[in-house]
mmCIF file of all heavy atoms in Angstrom:
data_model
loop_
_atom_site.group_PDB
_atom_site.id
_atom_site.type_symbol
_atom_site.label_atom_id
_atom_site.label_comp_id
_atom_site.label_asym_id
_atom_site.label_seq_id
_atom_site.Cartn_x
_atom_site.Cartn_y
_atom_site.Cartn_z
ATOM 1 N N MET A 1344 -40.763 -83.976 14.151
ATOM 2 C CA MET A 1344 -39.345 -84.219 13.978
ATOM 3 C C MET A 1344 -39.042 -84.914 12.654
ATOM 4 O O MET A 1344 -37.873 -85.076 12.318
ATOM 5 C CB MET A 1344 -38.831 -85.071 15.132
ATOM 6 C CG MET A 1344 -38.935 -84.395 16.499
ATOM 7 S SD MET A 1344 -38.060 -82.843 16.594
ATOM 8 C CE MET A 1344 -36.455 -83.388 17.009
ATOM 9 N N ASP A 1345 -40.066 -85.314 11.954
ATOM 10 C CA ASP A 1345 -39.831 -85.977 10.666
ATOM 11 C C ASP A 1345 -39.187 -85.032 9.658
ATOM 12 O O ASP A 1345 -38.408 -85.463 8.815
ATOM 13 C CB ASP A 1345 -41.138 -86.513 10.086
ATOM 14 C CG ASP A 1345 -41.625 -87.749 10.809
ATOM 15 O OD1 ASP A 1345 -40.787 -88.396 11.469
ATOM 16 O OD2 ASP A 1345 -42.820 -88.050 10.729
ATOM 17 N N TYR A 1346 -39.524 -83.745 9.748
ATOM 18 C CA TYR A 1346 -38.955 -82.795 8.789
ATOM 19 C C TYR A 1346 -37.449 -82.641 8.991
ATOM 20 O O TYR A 1346 -36.718 -82.411 8.038
ATOM 21 C CB TYR A 1346 -39.664 -81.452 8.860
ATOM 22 C CG TYR A 1346 -39.497 -80.712 10.165
ATOM 23 C CD1 TYR A 1346 -38.490 -79.775 10.311
ATOM 24 C CD2 TYR A 1346 -40.350 -80.939 11.242
ATOM 25 C CE1 TYR A 1346 -38.322 -79.090 11.502
ATOM 26 C CE2 TYR A 1346 -40.194 -80.266 12.428
ATOM 27 C CZ TYR A 1346 -39.179 -79.336 12.567
ATOM 28 O OH TYR A 1346 -39.011 -78.654 13.743
ATOM 29 N N ILE A 1347 -36.969 -82.790 10.222
ATOM 30 C CA ILE A 1347 -35.523 -82.707 10.469
ATOM 31 C C ILE A 1347 -34.823 -83.919 9.836
ATOM 32 O O ILE A 1347 -33.769 -83.784 9.212
ATOM 33 C CB ILE A 1347 -35.230 -82.622 11.981
ATOM 34 C CG1 ILE A 1347 -35.726 -81.275 12.515
ATOM 35 C CG2 ILE A 1347 -33.738 -82.784 12.252
ATOM 36 C CD1 ILE A 1347 -35.564 -81.108 14.004
ATOM 37 N N ASP A 1348 -35.429 -85.084 9.973
ATOM 38 C CA ASP A 1348 -34.859 -86.280 9.348
ATOM 39 C C ASP A 1348 -34.857 -86.152 7.823
ATOM 40 O O ASP A 1348 -33.914 -86.578 7.159
ATOM 41 C CB ASP A 1348 -35.637 -87.529 9.758
ATOM 42 C CG ASP A 1348 -35.450 -87.877 11.226
ATOM 43 O OD1 ASP A 1348 -34.424 -87.450 11.802
ATOM 44 O OD2 ASP A 1348 -36.329 -88.553 11.798
ATOM 45 N N ASP A 1349 -35.914 -85.550 7.283
ATOM 46 C CA ASP A 1349 -35.987 -85.365 5.835
ATOM 47 C C ASP A 1349 -34.895 -84.415 5.356
ATOM 48 O O ASP A 1349 -34.224 -84.682 4.354
ATOM 49 C CB ASP A 1349 -37.371 -84.833 5.458
ATOM 50 C CG ASP A 1349 -37.559 -84.740 3.962
ATOM 51 O OD1 ASP A 1349 -37.160 -85.683 3.257
ATOM 52 O OD2 ASP A 1349 -38.103 -83.718 3.497
ATOM 53 N N ILE A 1350 -34.706 -83.312 6.074
ATOM 54 C CA ILE A 1350 -33.663 -82.351 5.701
ATOM 55 C C ILE A 1350 -32.282 -82.990 5.822
ATOM 56 O O ILE A 1350 -31.431 -82.829 4.941
ATOM 57 C CB ILE A 1350 -33.769 -81.080 6.568
ATOM 58 C CG1 ILE A 1350 -35.049 -80.328 6.225
ATOM 59 C CG2 ILE A 1350 -32.552 -80.186 6.373
ATOM 60 C CD1 ILE A 1350 -35.361 -79.182 7.158
ATOM 61 N N ALA A 1351 -32.061 -83.738 6.889
ATOM 62 C CA ALA A 1351 -30.767 -84.396 7.071
ATOM 63 C C ALA A 1351 -30.515 -85.410 5.960
ATOM 64 O O ALA A 1351 -29.388 -85.523 5.463
ATOM 65 C CB ALA A 1351 -30.716 -85.080 8.433
ATOM 66 N N GLY A 1352 -31.529 -86.123 5.562
ATOM 67 C CA GLY A 1352 -31.384 -87.090 4.473
ATOM 68 C C GLY A 1352 -31.054 -86.420 3.152
ATOM 69 O O GLY A 1352 -30.204 -86.891 2.392
ATOM 70 N N ARG A 1353 -31.717 -85.308 2.890
ATOM 71 C CA ARG A 1353 -31.442 -84.579 1.641
ATOM 72 C C ARG A 1353 -30.038 -83.990 1.639
ATOM 73 O O ARG A 1353 -29.339 -84.009 0.622
ATOM 74 C CB ARG A 1353 -32.474 -83.480 1.430
ATOM 75 C CG ARG A 1353 -33.840 -84.013 1.063
ATOM 76 C CD ARG A 1353 -34.860 -82.885 1.023
ATOM 77 N NE ARG A 1353 -36.198 -83.411 0.882
ATOM 78 C CZ ARG A 1353 -36.964 -83.173 -0.175
ATOM 79 N NH1 ARG A 1353 -36.527 -82.429 -1.151
ATOM 80 N NH2 ARG A 1353 -38.174 -83.694 -0.239
ATOM 81 N N LEU A 1354 -29.599 -83.450 2.783
ATOM 82 C CA LEU A 1354 -28.253 -82.904 2.871
ATOM 83 C C LEU A 1354 -27.206 -84.000 2.707
ATOM 84 O O LEU A 1354 -26.174 -83.797 2.066
ATOM 85 C CB LEU A 1354 -28.054 -82.173 4.201
ATOM 86 C CG LEU A 1354 -28.740 -80.819 4.319
ATOM 87 C CD1 LEU A 1354 -28.558 -80.254 5.722
ATOM 88 C CD2 LEU A 1354 -28.205 -79.848 3.296
ATOM 89 N N THR A 1355 -27.481 -85.160 3.278
ATOM 90 C CA THR A 1355 -26.553 -86.278 3.138
ATOM 91 C C THR A 1355 -26.461 -86.714 1.679
ATOM 92 O O THR A 1355 -25.362 -86.956 1.162
ATOM 93 C CB THR A 1355 -27.002 -87.459 4.014
ATOM 94 O OG1 THR A 1355 -27.057 -87.016 5.375
ATOM 95 C CG2 THR A 1355 -26.054 -88.625 3.894
ATOM 96 N N ALA A 1356 -27.589 -86.801 1.012
ATOM 97 C CA ALA A 1356 -27.583 -87.189 -0.400
ATOM 98 C C ALA A 1356 -26.834 -86.158 -1.249
ATOM 99 O O ALA A 1356 -26.065 -86.525 -2.148
ATOM 100 C CB ALA A 1356 -29.016 -87.347 -0.897
ATOM 101 N N ALA A 1357 -27.028 -84.879 -0.954
ATOM 102 C CA ALA A 1357 -26.326 -83.839 -1.702
ATOM 103 C C ALA A 1357 -24.821 -83.911 -1.434
ATOM 104 O O ALA A 1357 -24.015 -83.756 -2.357
ATOM 105 C CB ALA A 1357 -26.865 -82.464 -1.319
ATOM 106 N N ALA A 1358 -24.440 -84.166 -0.184
ATOM 107 C CA ALA A 1358 -23.020 -84.261 0.150
ATOM 108 C C ALA A 1358 -22.366 -85.442 -0.563
ATOM 109 O O ALA A 1358 -21.241 -85.336 -1.065
ATOM 110 C CB ALA A 1358 -22.846 -84.390 1.657
ATOM 111 N N VAL A 1359 -23.064 -86.560 -0.625
ATOM 112 C CA VAL A 1359 -22.535 -87.730 -1.327
ATOM 113 C C VAL A 1359 -22.389 -87.430 -2.815
ATOM 114 O O VAL A 1359 -21.384 -87.787 -3.440
ATOM 115 C CB VAL A 1359 -23.430 -88.965 -1.083
ATOM 116 C CG1 VAL A 1359 -23.075 -90.096 -2.011
ATOM 117 C CG2 VAL A 1359 -23.334 -89.407 0.371
ATOM 118 N N ALA A 1360 -23.365 -86.758 -3.385
ATOM 119 C CA ALA A 1360 -23.294 -86.421 -4.815
ATOM 120 C C ALA A 1360 -22.110 -85.498 -5.096
ATOM 121 O O ALA A 1360 -21.380 -85.700 -6.077
ATOM 122 C CB ALA A 1360 -24.597 -85.767 -5.262
ATOM 123 N N PHE A 1361 -21.896 -84.503 -4.249
ATOM 124 C CA PHE A 1361 -20.753 -83.601 -4.433
ATOM 125 C C PHE A 1361 -19.434 -84.345 -4.259
ATOM 126 O O PHE A 1361 -18.468 -84.081 -4.986
ATOM 127 C CB PHE A 1361 -20.818 -82.424 -3.467
ATOM 128 C CG PHE A 1361 -21.696 -81.308 -3.955
ATOM 129 C CD1 PHE A 1361 -22.889 -81.018 -3.319
ATOM 130 C CD2 PHE A 1361 -21.329 -80.547 -5.046
ATOM 131 C CE1 PHE A 1361 -23.697 -79.995 -3.767
ATOM 132 C CE2 PHE A 1361 -22.130 -79.514 -5.509
ATOM 133 C CZ PHE A 1361 -23.324 -79.236 -4.859
ATOM 134 N N ALA A 1362 -19.375 -85.262 -3.310
ATOM 135 C CA ALA A 1362 -18.143 -86.026 -3.096
ATOM 136 C C ALA A 1362 -17.826 -86.896 -4.306
ATOM 137 O O ALA A 1362 -16.677 -86.977 -4.749
ATOM 138 C CB ALA A 1362 -18.276 -86.874 -1.837
ATOM 139 N N VAL A 1363 -18.822 -87.547 -4.869
ATOM 140 C CA VAL A 1363 -18.611 -88.397 -6.037
ATOM 141 C C VAL A 1363 -18.168 -87.547 -7.231
ATOM 142 O O VAL A 1363 -17.247 -87.918 -7.966
ATOM 143 C CB VAL A 1363 -19.894 -89.199 -6.363
ATOM 144 C CG1 VAL A 1363 -19.799 -89.877 -7.719
ATOM 145 C CG2 VAL A 1363 -20.151 -90.229 -5.269
ATOM 146 N N ALA A 1364 -18.804 -86.400 -7.418
ATOM 147 C CA ALA A 1364 -18.408 -85.520 -8.523
ATOM 148 C C ALA A 1364 -16.980 -85.017 -8.326
ATOM 149 O O ALA A 1364 -16.202 -84.955 -9.282
ATOM 150 C CB ALA A 1364 -19.379 -84.344 -8.617
ATOM 151 N N GLY A 1365 -16.618 -84.682 -7.112
ATOM 152 C CA GLY A 1365 -15.258 -84.229 -6.833
ATOM 153 C C GLY A 1365 -14.230 -85.306 -7.100
ATOM 154 O O GLY A 1365 -13.159 -85.031 -7.658
ATOM 155 N N LEU A 1366 -14.536 -86.527 -6.714
ATOM 156 C CA LEU A 1366 -13.612 -87.636 -6.982
ATOM 157 C C LEU A 1366 -13.475 -87.887 -8.477
ATOM 158 O O LEU A 1366 -12.380 -88.192 -8.961
ATOM 159 C CB LEU A 1366 -14.085 -88.901 -6.272
ATOM 160 C CG LEU A 1366 -13.923 -88.903 -4.755
ATOM 161 C CD1 LEU A 1366 -14.576 -90.146 -4.153
ATOM 162 C CD2 LEU A 1366 -12.462 -88.834 -4.367
ATOM 163 N N ALA A 1367 -14.556 -87.751 -9.218
ATOM 164 C CA ALA A 1367 -14.489 -87.951 -10.670
ATOM 165 C C ALA A 1367 -13.616 -86.887 -11.331
ATOM 166 O O ALA A 1367 -12.778 -87.192 -12.188
ATOM 167 C CB ALA A 1367 -15.899 -87.929 -11.263
ATOM 168 N N VAL A 1368 -13.767 -85.640 -10.909
ATOM 169 C CA VAL A 1368 -12.942 -84.563 -11.465
ATOM 170 C C VAL A 1368 -11.476 -84.772 -11.100
ATOM 171 O O VAL A 1368 -10.587 -84.580 -11.933
ATOM 172 C CB VAL A 1368 -13.453 -83.184 -10.974
ATOM 173 C CG1 VAL A 1368 -12.474 -82.075 -11.306
ATOM 174 C CG2 VAL A 1368 -14.810 -82.884 -11.585
ATOM 175 N N ALA A 1369 -11.221 -85.185 -9.864
ATOM 176 C CA ALA A 1369 -9.841 -85.433 -9.443
ATOM 177 C C ALA A 1369 -9.218 -86.573 -10.242
ATOM 178 O O ALA A 1369 -8.050 -86.502 -10.627
ATOM 179 C CB ALA A 1369 -9.807 -85.748 -7.953
ATOM 180 N N ALA A 1370 -9.980 -87.621 -10.507
ATOM 181 C CA ALA A 1370 -9.463 -88.743 -11.283
ATOM 182 C C ALA A 1370 -9.149 -88.325 -12.721
ATOM 183 O O ALA A 1370 -8.109 -88.707 -13.279
ATOM 184 C CB ALA A 1370 -10.462 -89.891 -11.277
ATOM 185 N N LEU A 1371 -10.022 -87.544 -13.319
ATOM 186 C CA LEU A 1371 -9.766 -87.062 -14.688
ATOM 187 C C LEU A 1371 -8.545 -86.148 -14.735
ATOM 188 O O LEU A 1371 -7.729 -86.231 -15.658
ATOM 189 C CB LEU A 1371 -10.991 -86.329 -15.226
ATOM 190 C CG LEU A 1371 -12.206 -87.210 -15.521
ATOM 191 C CD1 LEU A 1371 -13.401 -86.335 -15.882
ATOM 192 C CD2 LEU A 1371 -11.896 -88.179 -16.642
ATOM 193 N N SER A 1372 -8.397 -85.301 -13.725
ATOM 194 C CA SER A 1372 -7.237 -84.405 -13.676
ATOM 195 C C SER A 1372 -5.951 -85.198 -13.509
ATOM 196 O O SER A 1372 -4.937 -84.894 -14.148
ATOM 197 C CB SER A 1372 -7.385 -83.419 -12.519
ATOM 198 O OG SER A 1372 -8.523 -82.621 -12.704
ATOM 199 N N ALA A 1373 -5.973 -86.197 -12.642
ATOM 200 C CA ALA A 1373 -4.779 -87.017 -12.425
ATOM 201 C C ALA A 1373 -4.406 -87.782 -13.691
ATOM 202 O O ALA A 1373 -3.221 -87.901 -14.024
ATOM 203 C CB ALA A 1373 -5.016 -87.981 -11.269
ATOM 204 N N ALA A 1374 -5.396 -88.290 -14.411
ATOM 205 C CA ALA A 1374 -5.111 -89.016 -15.646
ATOM 206 C C ALA A 1374 -4.518 -88.082 -16.692
ATOM 207 O O ALA A 1374 -3.564 -88.440 -17.402
ATOM 208 C CB ALA A 1374 -6.393 -89.660 -16.180
ATOM 209 N N ALA A 1375 -5.046 -86.867 -16.782
ATOM 210 C CA ALA A 1375 -4.516 -85.905 -17.755
ATOM 211 C C ALA A 1375 -3.090 -85.508 -17.392
ATOM 212 O O ALA A 1375 -2.221 -85.425 -18.263
ATOM 213 C CB ALA A 1375 -5.421 -84.671 -17.814
ATOM 214 N N LEU A 1376 -2.839 -85.274 -16.118
ATOM 215 C CA LEU A 1376 -1.498 -84.902 -15.691
ATOM 216 C C LEU A 1376 -0.520 -86.052 -15.907
ATOM 217 O O LEU A 1376 0.619 -85.828 -16.322
ATOM 218 C CB LEU A 1376 -1.503 -84.488 -14.219
ATOM 219 C CG LEU A 1376 -0.166 -84.064 -13.634
ATOM 220 C CD1 LEU A 1376 0.379 -82.857 -14.391
ATOM 221 C CD2 LEU A 1376 -0.312 -83.740 -12.163
ATOM 222 N N GLY A 1377 -0.962 -87.269 -15.670
ATOM 223 C CA GLY A 1377 -0.096 -88.420 -15.916
ATOM 224 C C GLY A 1377 0.282 -88.538 -17.376
ATOM 225 O O GLY A 1377 1.421 -88.865 -17.711
ATOM 226 N N GLY A 1378 -0.651 -88.249 -18.270
ATOM 227 C CA GLY A 1378 -0.349 -88.289 -19.703
ATOM 228 C C GLY A 1378 0.662 -87.236 -20.100
ATOM 229 O O GLY A 1378 1.550 -87.479 -20.918
ATOM 230 N N VAL A 1379 0.551 -86.062 -19.519
ATOM 231 C CA VAL A 1379 1.503 -84.990 -19.824
ATOM 232 C C VAL A 1379 2.888 -85.366 -19.324
ATOM 233 O O VAL A 1379 3.887 -85.214 -20.026
ATOM 234 C CB VAL A 1379 1.029 -83.659 -19.185
ATOM 235 C CG1 VAL A 1379 2.124 -82.605 -19.259
ATOM 236 C CG2 VAL A 1379 -0.233 -83.170 -19.866
ATOM 237 N N ARG A 1380 2.957 -85.884 -18.111
ATOM 238 C CA ARG A 1380 4.262 -86.260 -17.565
ATOM 239 C C ARG A 1380 4.884 -87.409 -18.338
ATOM 240 O O ARG A 1380 6.092 -87.451 -18.531
ATOM 241 C CB ARG A 1380 4.127 -86.619 -16.090
ATOM 242 C CG ARG A 1380 3.884 -85.406 -15.243
ATOM 243 C CD ARG A 1380 4.006 -85.700 -13.787
ATOM 244 N NE ARG A 1380 3.880 -84.477 -13.020
ATOM 245 C CZ ARG A 1380 3.750 -84.451 -11.715
ATOM 246 N NH1 ARG A 1380 3.738 -85.567 -11.031
ATOM 247 N NH2 ARG A 1380 3.646 -83.304 -11.086
ATOM 248 N N ALA A 1381 4.064 -88.352 -18.774
ATOM 249 C CA ALA A 1381 4.593 -89.476 -19.551
ATOM 250 C C ALA A 1381 5.154 -88.992 -20.880
ATOM 251 O O ALA A 1381 6.217 -89.444 -21.320
ATOM 252 C CB ALA A 1381 3.503 -90.522 -19.786
ATOM 253 N N SER A 1382 4.465 -88.060 -21.516
ATOM 254 C CA SER A 1382 4.952 -87.571 -22.806
ATOM 255 C C SER A 1382 6.224 -86.747 -22.638
ATOM 256 O O SER A 1382 7.028 -86.660 -23.566
ATOM 257 C CB SER A 1382 3.874 -86.750 -23.512
ATOM 258 O OG SER A 1382 3.646 -85.534 -22.839
ATOM 259 N N GLU A 1383 6.407 -86.122 -21.473
ATOM 260 C CA GLU A 1383 7.650 -85.391 -21.224
ATOM 261 C C GLU A 1383 8.802 -86.350 -20.928
ATOM 262 O O GLU A 1383 9.939 -86.076 -21.279
ATOM 263 C CB GLU A 1383 7.464 -84.433 -20.046
ATOM 264 C CG GLU A 1383 6.562 -83.263 -20.346
ATOM 265 C CD GLU A 1383 6.288 -82.408 -19.118
ATOM 266 O OE1 GLU A 1383 6.667 -82.810 -18.001
ATOM 267 O OE2 GLU A 1383 5.681 -81.348 -19.282
ATOM 268 N N LYS A 1384 8.486 -87.472 -20.277
ATOM 269 C CA LYS A 1384 9.540 -88.395 -19.847
ATOM 270 C C LYS A 1384 9.971 -89.333 -20.970
ATOM 271 O O LYS A 1384 11.157 -89.604 -21.122
ATOM 272 C CB LYS A 1384 9.034 -89.202 -18.646
ATOM 273 C CG LYS A 1384 10.091 -90.053 -17.978
ATOM 274 C CD LYS A 1384 9.559 -90.648 -16.686
ATOM 275 C CE LYS A 1384 10.644 -91.428 -15.972
ATOM 276 N NZ LYS A 1384 10.176 -91.989 -14.714
ATOM 277 N N TRP A 1385 9.007 -89.855 -21.716
ATOM 278 C CA TRP A 1385 9.323 -90.820 -22.771
ATOM 279 C C TRP A 1385 8.899 -90.262 -24.124
ATOM 280 O O TRP A 1385 7.725 -89.985 -24.356
ATOM 281 C CB TRP A 1385 8.590 -92.134 -22.525
ATOM 282 C CG TRP A 1385 9.034 -92.817 -21.271
ATOM 283 C CD1 TRP A 1385 10.231 -93.405 -21.047
ATOM 284 C CD2 TRP A 1385 8.263 -92.981 -20.078
ATOM 285 N NE1 TRP A 1385 10.260 -93.920 -19.779
ATOM 286 C CE2 TRP A 1385 9.074 -93.681 -19.157
ATOM 287 C CE3 TRP A 1385 6.985 -92.608 -19.680
ATOM 288 C CZ2 TRP A 1385 8.647 -94.021 -17.883
ATOM 289 C CZ3 TRP A 1385 6.559 -92.935 -18.413
ATOM 290 C CH2 TRP A 1385 7.381 -93.626 -17.537
ATOM 291 N N PRO A 1386 9.829 -90.112 -25.049
ATOM 292 C CA PRO A 1386 9.470 -89.582 -26.372
ATOM 293 C C PRO A 1386 8.490 -90.475 -27.129
ATOM 294 O O PRO A 1386 7.750 -89.986 -27.978
ATOM 295 C CB PRO A 1386 10.809 -89.512 -27.105
ATOM 296 C CG PRO A 1386 11.858 -89.540 -26.052
ATOM 297 C CD PRO A 1386 11.264 -90.294 -24.892
ATOM 298 N N SER A 1387 8.485 -91.781 -26.808
ATOM 299 C CA SER A 1387 7.589 -92.678 -27.535
ATOM 300 C C SER A 1387 6.155 -92.621 -27.017
ATOM 301 O O SER A 1387 5.258 -93.176 -27.643
ATOM 302 C CB SER A 1387 8.104 -94.117 -27.435
ATOM 303 O OG SER A 1387 8.127 -94.524 -26.081
ATOM 304 N N ALA A 1388 5.920 -91.960 -25.887
ATOM 305 C CA ALA A 1388 4.561 -91.859 -25.341
ATOM 306 C C ALA A 1388 3.728 -90.934 -26.215
ATOM 307 O O ALA A 1388 4.234 -89.950 -26.750
ATOM 308 C CB ALA A 1388 4.605 -91.332 -23.915
ATOM 309 N N PRO A 1389 2.456 -91.248 -26.384
ATOM 310 C CA PRO A 1389 1.612 -90.362 -27.197
ATOM 311 C C PRO A 1389 1.454 -89.000 -26.532
ATOM 312 O O PRO A 1389 1.319 -88.898 -25.322
ATOM 313 C CB PRO A 1389 0.282 -91.101 -27.272
ATOM 314 C CG PRO A 1389 0.299 -92.082 -26.160
ATOM 315 C CD PRO A 1389 1.735 -92.396 -25.867
ATOM 316 N N ALA A 1390 1.488 -87.960 -27.318
ATOM 317 C CA ALA A 1390 1.330 -86.603 -26.796
ATOM 318 C C ALA A 1390 -0.129 -86.376 -26.424
ATOM 319 O O ALA A 1390 -1.033 -86.849 -27.112
ATOM 320 C CB ALA A 1390 1.770 -85.593 -27.835
ATOM 321 N N PRO A 1391 -0.363 -85.662 -25.338
ATOM 322 C CA PRO A 1391 -1.752 -85.340 -24.989
ATOM 323 C C PRO A 1391 -2.413 -84.485 -26.066
ATOM 324 O O PRO A 1391 -1.720 -83.762 -26.800
ATOM 325 C CB PRO A 1391 -1.622 -84.545 -23.680
ATOM 326 C CG PRO A 1391 -0.244 -84.801 -23.182
ATOM 327 C CD PRO A 1391 0.588 -85.180 -24.366
ATOM 328 N N ALA A 1392 -3.709 -84.551 -26.153
ATOM 329 C CA ALA A 1392 -4.437 -83.834 -27.213
ATOM 330 C C ALA A 1392 -4.262 -82.322 -27.108
ATOM 331 O O ALA A 1392 -4.244 -81.640 -28.115
ATOM 332 C CB ALA A 1392 -5.907 -84.189 -27.148
ATOM 333 N N SER A 1393 -4.111 -81.810 -25.897
ATOM 334 C CA SER A 1393 -4.026 -80.362 -25.734
ATOM 335 C C SER A 1393 -2.589 -79.891 -25.538
ATOM 336 O O SER A 1393 -2.354 -78.780 -25.075
ATOM 337 C CB SER A 1393 -4.867 -79.931 -24.525
ATOM 338 O OG SER A 1393 -4.342 -80.521 -23.361
ATOM 339 N N ALA A 1394 -1.615 -80.707 -25.895
ATOM 340 C CA ALA A 1394 -0.220 -80.344 -25.673
ATOM 341 C C ALA A 1394 0.213 -79.269 -26.667
ATOM 342 O O ALA A 1394 -0.120 -79.305 -27.843
ATOM 343 C CB ALA A 1394 0.675 -81.563 -25.819
ATOM 344 N N ALA A 1395 0.971 -78.321 -26.156
ATOM 345 C CA ALA A 1395 1.551 -77.302 -27.027
ATOM 346 C C ALA A 1395 2.768 -77.900 -27.723
ATOM 347 O O ALA A 1395 3.419 -78.798 -27.196
ATOM 348 C CB ALA A 1395 1.947 -76.088 -26.194
ATOM 349 N N PRO A 1396 3.092 -77.435 -28.904
ATOM 350 C CA PRO A 1396 4.274 -77.977 -29.587
ATOM 351 C C PRO A 1396 5.534 -77.679 -28.781
ATOM 352 O O PRO A 1396 5.635 -76.639 -28.140
ATOM 353 C CB PRO A 1396 4.286 -77.252 -30.927
ATOM 354 C CG PRO A 1396 3.284 -76.173 -30.830
ATOM 355 C CD PRO A 1396 2.411 -76.431 -29.660
ATOM 356 N N PRO A 1397 6.476 -78.603 -28.784
ATOM 357 C CA PRO A 1397 7.703 -78.365 -28.017
ATOM 358 C C PRO A 1397 8.468 -77.182 -28.564
ATOM 359 O O PRO A 1397 8.522 -76.961 -29.774
ATOM 360 C CB PRO A 1397 8.500 -79.666 -28.175
ATOM 361 C CG PRO A 1397 7.829 -80.454 -29.222
ATOM 362 C CD PRO A 1397 6.460 -79.874 -29.462
ATOM 363 N N SER A 1398 9.037 -76.427 -27.665
ATOM 364 C CA SER A 1398 9.781 -75.239 -28.106
ATOM 365 C C SER A 1398 11.272 -75.497 -28.129
ATOM 366 O O SER A 1398 11.785 -76.419 -27.595
ATOM 367 C CB SER A 1398 9.473 -74.070 -27.187
ATOM 368 O OG SER A 1398 9.747 -74.418 -25.861
#
């Protein structure tokens, strides 16, 4: 039964790693979206690096 515990431990570690990576991507996306919204709301806010020129 040790092999079942080993597999469960590895799956748990992989799940934790995926969860942490997902949270990091979500945080970066939220920060980028916040910058875009701030630049749309306040003209004095710095424009995001990937912003298209205003039309």
Side-chain angles (χ1 to χ4, degrees):
M1344 296 302 274
D1345 286 340
Y1346 65 94
I1347 292 177
D1348 291 337
D1349 185 43
I1350 292 171
R1353 289 174 189 244
L1354 286 175
T1355 301
V1359 168
F1361 277 111
V1363 169
L1366 288 173
V1368 169
L1371 290 173
S1372 298
L1376 180 60
V1379 169
R1380 288 191 175 170
S1382 69
E1383 290 174 351
K1384 188 171 184 179
W1385 296 290
S1387 61
S1393 62
S1398 55

